[in-house]
Amino acid sequence: SFAGHQGWPAQWRDAAPKPAYDAVIVGAGGHGLATAYYMAAEHGLRNIAVVEKGWLGGGNTGRNTTIIRSNYLWEESEALYNHALTLWQDMSQVLNYNVMYSPRGCMMLAHNIHDVQVFKRHVHANRLAGIDNEWLSPDEAKAFCPILNTSEHIRYPILGATLQRRGGVARHDAVAWGYARAASALGVDIVQNCEVKGITRDASGAVSGLDTTRGPIATKRVGVVAAGNTSHVMAMAGVRLPLESYPLQALVSEPVKPMMPCVVMSNTIHAYMSQSDKGELVIGAGTDAYVSYSQTGGLHIATHTLDAICELFPMVRRLRMLRSWGGIVDVTPDRSPIIGKTPVPGLFVNCGWGTGGFKATPGSGNVFAHTVATGEPHRINAPFTLDRFRTGRLIDEAAAAAVAH
Ligand code: FAD
Ligand code: PYC
């Protein structure tokens, strides 16, 4: 190439599927790749594969806006997301791959009395659990993020904000690539362009294999990590899940010099923003209002978000937008994920992360690896059962999910 980048070795083996494996993970997003990595690294399973219908990291992992935080309300979620946040701290060293984790602080804005009360409740809950989170006055919020418009005369004035200083961003592609390279080096087969079309079962009803576009694969253990497509894949085994799938959109501006020191989110007015290392402002919306598998999304959702962004950060008003895109997010009724066993022996599922699973990637992979490898949930994902929608032991994180959905 004209840049001189020639002859670089492939970072992972482009494997062809073998006829049989000890376990197969469906979906090579960050969660699936992390699962395979920890299954190999921590549980010694090497005869395993990750099968991916497209290209590795091309799903929501490559489409998300990379916000990382662990300021959730309930103890179950605090344990899960904080497990992930702990693993983010030294992920670059563990994988020997720079994932550019940047704990620059994640601020969530309150615009009405309800927001103030709910966010203060989160701050108290987090601090009781030993998780950093603090309440800022409008002036303190402006001191932390000087481009914020804290005027009392805007349509939704800022009444205060929470700040999790360990929150921040990371480079999404690098997370997928880092886990892929490390897993491949441990012997995991990563098979791209391999769509799962069927899940086969033996006479007892247990999983016996997968039908894929690259042929049948025999295996007694399958972990489905197919965000945006979970309902379809699980239906192949006759399992119905309480999921609704929505488009979620994001967009980036033309690159500018550093101007935005942290992440700012506002659930109430459906907008959030950070600045990438390239200089682009990374902006996102709430979900589209209807269920759909169209990644296009409604234009009015993006324009409404830009209205809110322009009011919150008036100095960006003349910037041009470079690109916009969408991903499909699988949302559960309590806005918490499902990570665990299913009614089908040998079939495990990790899904329902909705708008907020990127931050959980290392923790999710770590506990799901334990679940698939041992057949039993890790203590951290034990509460995140499918069964909770029958027993009523829900983990309601609708407020902490932060992005309106
Ligand atoms: P994916 O990366 O989507 O991986 C699933 C894979 O399964 C895909 O590659 C897909 O091709 C594959 N697959 C599906 N069906 C099959 C099949 N039949 N056979 C084989 N393979 C199959 N979260 C945050 O924490 N912070 C954010 O700032 C954030 N921003 C977001 C912004 C947007 C616009 C979107 C769309 C999402 C955002 N999220 C965010 C959510 C986050 O992206 C997801 O929760 C997370 O990336 C899910 O990871 P995953 O590895 O499970 O899914
Ligand atoms: O979960 O923090 C989040 C998030 C931000 C943008 C989309 N999801």
Side-chain angles (χ1 to χ4, degrees), residues 23 89 119 183 213 272 274 304 399:
Q89 316 291 319
F119 285 166
T213 49
Y272 61 92
S274 66
H304 168 76

Side-chain angles (χ1 to χ4, degrees), residues 18-248:
K18 289 187 208 153
Y21 288 100
D22 294 338
V24 178
I25 301 301
V26 180
H31 288 230
L33 292 164
T35 302
Y37 166 74
Y38 290 115
M39 283 171 75
E42 296 191 354
H43 301 276
L45 287 162
R46 302 291 160 96
N47 182 32
I48 62 177
V50 185
V51 294
E52 164 58 49
K53 73 173 178 178
W55 69 94
L56 172 170
N60 287 346
T61 297
R63 294 164 187 275
N64 85 92
T65 44
T66 78
I67 297 173
I68 295 171
R69 56 190 174 84
S70 65
N71 53 355
Y72 284 69
L73 182 62
W74 300 106
E75 280 172 11
E76 295 87 342
S77 327
E78 288 169 333
L80 177 61
Y81 291 99
N82 216 43
H83 181 47
L85 196 51
T86 306
L87 292 172
W88 279 110
Q89 316 291 319
D90 64 353
M91 191 193 292
S92 294
Q93 288 72 27
V94 169
L95 299 179
N96 188 25
Y97 205 104
N98 187 0
V99 299
M100 297 163 74
Y101 166 58
S102 166
R104 59 186 64 178
C106 179
M107 194 188 281
M108 294 166 90
L109 303 178
H111 301 275
N112 53 46
I113 298 299
H114 174 77
D115 284 353
V116 171
Q117 291 173 343
V118 168
F119 285 166
K120 284 190 172 173
R121 184 177 176 204
H122 280 67
V123 168
H124 295 313
N126 290 164
R127 291 169 79 128
L128 280 172
I131 294 169
D132 64 306
N133 197 3
E134 60 201 88
W135 178 254
L136 304 184
S137 67
D139 287 347
E140 288 167 332
K142 187 159 180 74
F144 197 76
C145 184
I147 67 170
L148 200 55
N149 182 1
T150 49
S151 162
E152 290 169 8
H153 304 295
I154 59 178
R155 184 158 182 209
Y156 295 102
I158 295 165
L159 303 187
T162 61
L163 175 65
Q164 184 174 33
R165 290 178 193 268
R166 278 188 310 155
V169 290
R171 176 66 209 257
H172 48 6
D173 297 321
V175 174
W177 299 337
Y179 275 121
R181 186 178 74 167
S184 181
L186 291 171
V188 175
D189 278 357
I190 299 169
V191 188
Q192 300 180 82
N193 300 311
C194 182
E195 181 171 357
V196 171
K197 294 288 212 181
I199 298 174
T200 54
R201 298 163 70 176
D202 64 19
S204 73
V207 165
S208 59
L210 296 170
D211 286 328
T212 81
T213 49
R214 297 182 68 177
I217 300 174
T219 184
K220 290 188 183 312
R221 260 182 290 181
V222 171
V224 174
V225 202
N229 281 281
T230 318
S231 304
H232 288 296
V233 177
M234 296 301 288
M236 296 172 194
V239 178
R240 204 161 161 249
L241 295 171
L243 294 175
E244 289 184 329
S245 302
Y246 294 89
L248 180 67

Side-chain angles (χ1 to χ4, degrees), residues 134-384:
E134 60 201 88
W135 178 254
L136 304 184
S137 67
D139 287 347
E140 288 167 332
K142 187 159 180 74
F144 197 76
C145 184
I147 67 170
L148 200 55
N149 182 1
T150 49
S151 162
E152 290 169 8
H153 304 295
I154 59 178
R155 184 158 182 209
Y156 295 102
I158 295 165
L159 303 187
T162 61
L163 175 65
Q164 184 174 33
R165 290 178 193 268
R166 278 188 310 155
V169 290
R171 176 66 209 257
H172 48 6
D173 297 321
V175 174
W177 299 337
Y179 275 121
R181 186 178 74 167
S184 181
L186 291 171
V188 175
D189 278 357
I190 299 169
V191 188
Q192 300 180 82
N193 300 311
C194 182
E195 181 171 357
V196 171
K197 294 288 212 181
I199 298 174
T200 54
R201 298 163 70 176
D202 64 19
S204 73
V207 165
S208 59
L210 296 170
D211 286 328
T212 81
T213 49
R214 297 182 68 177
I217 300 174
T219 184
K220 290 188 183 312
R221 260 182 290 181
V222 171
V224 174
V225 202
N229 281 281
T230 318
S231 304
H232 288 296
V233 177
M234 296 301 288
M236 296 172 194
V239 178
R240 204 161 161 249
L241 295 171
L243 294 175
E244 289 184 329
S245 302
Y246 294 89
L248 180 67
Q249 302 184 63
L251 56 169
V252 291
S253 74
E254 58 190 327
V256 287
K257 286 188 174 175
M259 55 177 278
M260 174 87 189
C262 60
V263 178
V264 173
M265 311 183 68
S266 170
N267 191 347
T268 295
I269 58 172
H270 309 303
Y272 61 92
M273 187 166 94
S274 66
Q275 188 168 20
S276 78
D277 292 341
K278 277 189 286 186
E280 298 167 345
L281 295 174
V282 181
I283 295 168
T287 54
D288 279 36
Y290 49 85
V291 290
S292 169
Y293 285 108
S294 160
Q295 292 191 154
T296 310
L299 182 61
H300 63 289
I301 300 286
T303 54
H304 168 76
T305 289
L306 290 176
D307 288 344
I309 289 290
C310 288
E311 188 163 78
L312 283 180
F313 307 103
M315 72 180 281
V316 309
R317 281 189 178 150
R318 292 174 62 199
L319 278 181
R320 285 163 295 192
M321 291 297 128
L322 268 194
R323 321 183 279 286
S324 73
W325 65 90
I328 304 302
V329 295
D330 290 339
V331 176
T332 61
D334 64 359
R335 275 47 180 169
S336 287
I338 301 166
I339 319 169
K341 297 186 194 184
T342 73
V344 177
L347 182 64
F348 303 87
V349 72
N350 183 344
C351 69
W353 292 95
T355 60
F358 176 71
K359 68 177 77 63
T361 304
S364 156
N366 189 261
V367 299
F368 195 50
H370 176 101
T371 308
V372 180
T374 66
E376 293 300 328
H378 186 284
R379 117 191 111 69
I380 290 179
N381 66 304
F384 293 88

